[in-house]
Amino acid sequence: MAIAAVAVPALLAGCVSIPSSGGVNAGDPAQVEEAPELDTIVAPPAKDATQQQIVEGFIDAAQSPRNNYQAARDYLTPAFKDEWNANEGATIDVPGERDFTERGETEIVVDATPAAQLTATGQYDISEPAPVELKYMLEQNDEGQWRISSAPPGLLIDETTFAQVFRSYPLYFYSPDFDYLVPDLRWFAGRDSVQTSIVRALLVGASEWLAPGVRTAFPEGTRLESGSVPIEGQVASVDLSGTTDDDVASVQRMEFQLKESLDGVRNVESVALSLNGVEQDVPDLSPEPLKNPTVDPRPVVFDGTAFGYLATSGEGVEQIPDLSPQVEALVPTGAALGANGEVAAVRAADGVVSVVRAGEDAEPLDPRDGLIVPAIDGTGAVWSVPAGLPGQLVVYPGDPSVDPIQLPVPWTGSSIAALEISRDSTRLVALLGDGDTTHFVAASIQRDAAGTPTALSRVTLGLDDVDGTPLDVTWLDARTVASLTALPGGGTQVIRQELGGVAVPRQGPEGGRAIDGGNSVQDLRVLTEAEVLEAPSGVGWQARASGIRLIASQQPD
């Protein structure tokens, strides 16, 4: 069945580029005019269509979310029209790999190869590419026309169409201390109602993998009182029940969480919050939690003599007062710089992991063989694990009086190449080896009242896997990570990916062995075996500095 994506309303003049993903900045009428809502024009069920044609037409028509997927419901029997739930999630499959098989007189089975799954609350999860079997039952109406009487809930949509129909929106939750906003990326179709989908998903809570490491301002049992979130005059009206306005700070946090989560919705500039039917006059939250904590834009390096910040020119290293000499004395082979440049986790030339605090001698922590480069979080805790024992993760708390903690890990693999803690200290990413495959995962970090890590989430968020040997991983900003893999045939590959989003691969520099990020997806650098620090330049890479032995991750000031 032929389908076509068109803009509604039609563009009357000029040559305009219509994006297929990404948010529209609120309060900018020009951008709203240039990015009208996309819709899919689909033909209604053809007269005397075969059963397979009806199933194919239904799948195609479900690409249009308008009017609660009315175009797709035209392919269903009257009894099944109201029963089918399009918002139950989606199977995102590989284009061109669907097979239709007739079973019996009234059943069509569709075999598809999933590339990802989408949950009912918009969580994107990369799937194993094992075929799935989707069953559709049909029956004839009084006119002898076939209609679908039973179908799997949700959508079947290929990767290409998914990118055109769905858009990503970060929902925001809080770090346990309320100092940071933590993004939880979701995907929704139907921009005329996306604000309602966002609020409903926000009230359900964080994704399963993220929930142990964050908190929400909404008490359990909080409900959206009306069936929708109307927008009038760029104000989104959110009426909630099941909570009270007794605590001003809690109400402020609820409104702020709503405002930030709705920030990417077109025509929403502010939020009017009502609790149990009473509109709230909420003072501004102060201080506001940080949404995207930043690090020093200069990479932290060791050139064989000096440890510190690489000069912008690429020539020379600025040492860190009261810290660099102790690090240099260890002749480091790997390091991670903690908050405010006051502490570092260091793997020394003899393989021992130590902690170095400003003005103090290095303190050996982990003498085990084969340790990877340690990670450090915002509390000064050092995370250490042997490459060949990915389940033996030990955390050395920033408070020296607290004993080391061995944390059970939620991942599997034969080796681990790297792990790194997010700049809000709520999450980590790990790069694992599993046979001939690089396995990339994220997990959240559960902490006690003192901020000491106590557990990792029991489930992980699967990121993009690739054939080859895992090398390194880095955070690029609060919601984006990147991995570096050595390919089986030679060369390297860099995978950049939003947590809960789509992977973007690119060829890495020859001989790349370590990767590091600054404060955006553009601030990416790779260190090669030739001790050259390279950065992306167009479709290739350009040398920025030479004679660099290591590059260290950073926590924010």
Side-chain angles (χ1 to χ4, degrees), residues 309-325:
Y309 297 104
L310 181 67
T312 304
S313 65
E315 300 289 338
V317 176
E318 179 185 326
Q319 292 178 298
I320 302 169
D322 300 321
L323 189 73
S324 287

Side-chain angles (χ1 to χ4, degrees), residues 25 146 200 230 243 266 452 506:
N25 293 333
W146 289 106
R200 286 175 175 166
T243 185
R266 61 173 183 169
T452 303
R506 69 170 292 159

Side-chain angles (χ1 to χ4, degrees), residues 52-65:
Q52 180 171 328
Q53 288 171 334
I54 290 296
V55 172
E56 289 176 335
F58 167 71
I59 293 172
D60 288 341
Q63 297 169 14
S64 171

Side-chain angles (χ1 to χ4, degrees), residues 31 102 107 139 160 169 206 257 392:
Q31 285 189 317
E102 294 186 13
E107 182 179 354
E139 61 183 50
T160 302
Y169 299 86
Q257 194 174 351
Q392 301 298 309

Side-chain angles (χ1 to χ4, degrees), residues 172-174 216-218 253-259 261:
Y172 284 99
F173 296 89
Y174 292 102
T216 181
F218 302 100
R253 287 170 179 151
M254 282 191 278
E255 185 187 60
F256 192 76
Q257 194 174 351
L258 284 165
K259 180 169 69 83
S261 297

Side-chain angles (χ1 to χ4, degrees), residues 73-121:
R73 294 182 194 278
D74 288 343
Y75 286 80
L76 308 179
T77 63
F80 188 55
K81 278 186 178 181
D82 295 332
E83 181 182 337
W84 177 65
N85 185 0
N87 298 313
E88 194 63 27
T91 296
I92 305 161
D93 67 334
V94 179
E97 295 193 12
R98 291 179 193 160
D99 289 323
F100 293 78
T101 304
E102 294 186 13
R103 286 189 185 170
E105 298 181 355
T106 60
E107 182 179 354
I108 297 287
V109 174
V110 180
D111 290 305
T113 301
Q117 301 284 346
L118 199 70
T119 70
T121 52

Side-chain angles (χ1 to χ4, degrees), residues 370-381:
L371 297 170
I372 69 170
V373 176
I376 194 166
D377 66 24
T379 71

